[in-house]
Amino acid sequence: MAEMLGVSPSYLNLIERNQRALPAGLLVKMAEQFDFDPRALAAGEPGGGVAAIRRRLADPLFADLEIDRHEMEEWLATSPGGAEAFARAFDRAGVAGAVAGGSAQDDVMTAVRREIERWRNHFPDLDAAAEILADELRLVGADLYAALVERLRVKHGLSIRILPSDVMPDLLRRLDLHARQLQLNETLDPSARIMALASQLAQLEARSEIDALARGATFVDRNAERLFRRHLTNYFAAAVMMPYVRFLRACEATGYDVSMLERRFGASFEQVAHRLTTLQRVGARGLAFFMIRIDRAGQLSKRYAGASSAILAQAHGRCPLWRVHHAFERPGALTVQLVELEDGGRWFTQARVVSAPGGRGDAAPDEVIAEFAIGLGVAAEQAGSLAAARGLDLAGAATPIGLGCRACLRAGCPQRSAAPDGRALTVNDRERGLSALSFVED
């Protein structure tokens, strides 16, 4: 085994006896050589491993504690029981706090997000089934929408009907079992129509795979299970639109050019961005992207860390210096940025504004149009091959950002709106610094 992995037997023995941490590079080699899912090891680590412990420590409660990655690794290695106890207590306190505060909705969303993160947003069985279906649809014709319509008609006795928006003013799609129709609102653009048809096929033809995943999640709340099933349904639909092998090849050939991938697969920016977070098949992995979706008020409605373990996708707060917030000022344009966190982690990010499905370009001035900024990021050391990063010095200067003011210890920030949790404010009538709010740094 040591020979196959390119390490010494003595070093491997130290790892087996928990006297050395398992490096990420060696874990990748093991997964490739022995064809197993690395989540099997991560799930058994105390507290879910370094990345999971780090997510918990990103809570503002610990903002004044400067705990680096080395300390966390040493803690897990020398006191695994203590780390697991901390993780359980923190998670239980979080759930109890949500219930006590009346945030049952937040508790449901948190449970679903944790289940998705447990799988790192990669569901191999769904990907495999979607690839088989996609190949069958290609035999029908090159037009995916027409092939989906034909599949639903021939195999499931469902016809597709496009209805005027005034007939379906509050719905984007509806399954009318009495008429055997899948009814779509005319405002849906082509990519959203394909997604709607593929989602319907997911409910009909991937039911066993989705049922198995939902049962395995063992949710206590019925709404959490329904939300998780919706995520799995959309995951399958996206995998039909962008089959794993073909999509990964296109990513590598184009330098993960999102605009090119949109055109090639007939997908939207958001659909492509989400799909990029799922490319973690053993032996055929893509780059480890994360994705978030925020509105103009900075409220988060989607976040997928995937295999990146990016704290930017998992933290409760975000920094106004991160240009994902600026994307609303440049509709239709791609905003790129190299950022650096307080722990030294550097990330290449890109962002673009999208409209919610069903949004119309000819909307009246007083009509509400839902807009979101999609943030997509990858570790700077992995971004060298990206089309969006061409001409950018990935080893050069980066914008220093934090995880929200209450979790950020950077002094002298002109954008600061609150002192870090656990640090006292300082007020000096004789001086005024770059930041309106100063705090005790030591």
Side-chain angles (χ1 to χ4, degrees), residues 78-413:
T78 59
S79 183
E84 177 65 25
F86 159 75
R88 293 184 187 181
F90 181 87
D91 292 347
R92 180 170 295 180
V95 171
V99 174
S103 302
Q105 174 184 334
D106 291 342
D107 192 29
V108 166
M109 299 292 287
T110 298
V112 174
R113 187 171 66 251
R114 284 179 179 161
E115 184 63 16
I116 294 171
E117 289 179 358
R118 186 172 75 87
W119 285 90
R120 298 191 178 184
N121 201 22
H122 175 64
F123 302 93
D125 290 348
L126 292 182
D127 265 312
E131 276 191 302
I132 293 172
L133 176 56
D135 287 341
E136 293 176 1
L137 292 171
R138 289 184 79 187
L139 296 176
V140 176
D143 185 337
L144 180 57
Y145 180 80
L148 288 166
V149 170
E150 185 70 4
R151 179 87 171 199
L152 286 167
R153 184 186 68 82
V154 173
K155 189 167 183 177
H156 303 287
L158 287 175
S159 62
I160 310 302
R161 187 175 181 188
I162 310 299
L163 293 176
S165 58
D166 56 350
V167 176
M168 295 177 65
D170 301 317
L171 293 174
L172 296 178
R173 74 181 186 196
R174 175 174 57 204
L175 178 62
D176 187 335
L177 289 175
H178 178 72
R180 301 299 297 172
Q181 285 182 350
L182 178 60
Q183 300 167 347
L184 304 181
N185 192 308
E186 64 179 350
T187 60
L188 290 177
D189 62 26
S191 65
R193 292 185 185 189
I194 292 175
M195 176 64 79
L197 269 58
S199 295
Q200 187 59 57
L201 269 181
Q203 296 176 45
L204 296 168
E205 300 193 19
R207 183 179 300 172
S208 60
E209 290 88 350
I210 292 174
D211 285 347
L213 289 165
R215 285 196 303 270
T218 62
F219 290 114
V220 176
D221 191 290
R222 178 63 175 161
N223 283 329
E225 181 182 329
R226 287 176 178 146
L227 277 176
F228 186 54
R229 284 179 178 274
R230 178 188 294 178
H231 176 82
L232 297 176
T233 297
N234 291 336
Y235 183 104
F236 182 89
V240 170
M241 293 177 67
M242 296 166 275
Y244 194 100
V245 172
R246 277 193 278 146
F247 185 72
L248 179 58
R249 286 175 181 166
C251 288
E252 294 172 343
T254 64
Y256 290 81
D257 187 326
V258 179
S259 295
M260 185 69 73
L261 295 170
E262 286 181 72
R263 291 191 291 270
R264 187 169 297 186
F265 291 92
S268 68
F269 184 89
E270 182 173 349
Q271 289 166 350
V272 171
H274 183 194
R275 187 63 170 141
L276 288 174
T277 70
T278 70
L279 303 179
Q280 299 157 56
R281 178 176 288 176
V282 174
R285 288 187 174 84
L287 297 183
F289 281 92
F290 73 83
M291 169 198 161
I292 69 166
R293 188 179 76 175
I294 62 171
D295 61 19
R296 286 183 178 271
Q299 299 173 117
L300 198 69
S301 52
K302 282 186 181 179
R303 54 175 163 184
Y304 303 114
S308 71
S309 298
I311 197 69
L312 279 170
Q314 300 156 345
H316 296 293
R318 278 164 306 286
C319 180
L321 298 178
W322 186 17
R323 289 183 194 155
V324 67
H325 299 276
H326 303 184
F328 292 104
E329 302 166 9
R330 305 177 62 212
L334 190 67
T335 300
V336 301
Q337 186 182 23
L338 184 64
V339 300
E340 182 172 341
L341 297 174
E342 288 183 90
D343 64 1
R346 294 164 65 89
W347 299 85
F348 173 77
T349 67
Q350 44 191 312
R352 202 171 94 187
V353 171
V354 301
S355 297
R360 299 185 304 173
D362 60 346
D366 60 343
E367 187 175 343
V368 176
I369 300 297
E371 289 185 322
F372 301 93
I374 303 296
L376 188 63
V378 68
E381 60 266 24
Q382 297 184 18
S385 62
L386 298 187
R390 287 173 190 154
L392 185 66
D393 182 6
L394 295 172
T399 303
I401 67 171
L403 301 174
C405 291
R406 294 193 177 279
C408 179
L409 297 176
R410 296 189 190 276
C413 175

Side-chain angles (χ1 to χ4, degrees), residues 22-32 36 38 41-42 45 120:
L22 178 60
L26 188 57
L27 177 58
V28 171
K29 284 185 179 179
M30 290 174 63
E32 292 173 347
F36 74 96
L41 291 184
E45 293 179 5
R120 298 191 178 184

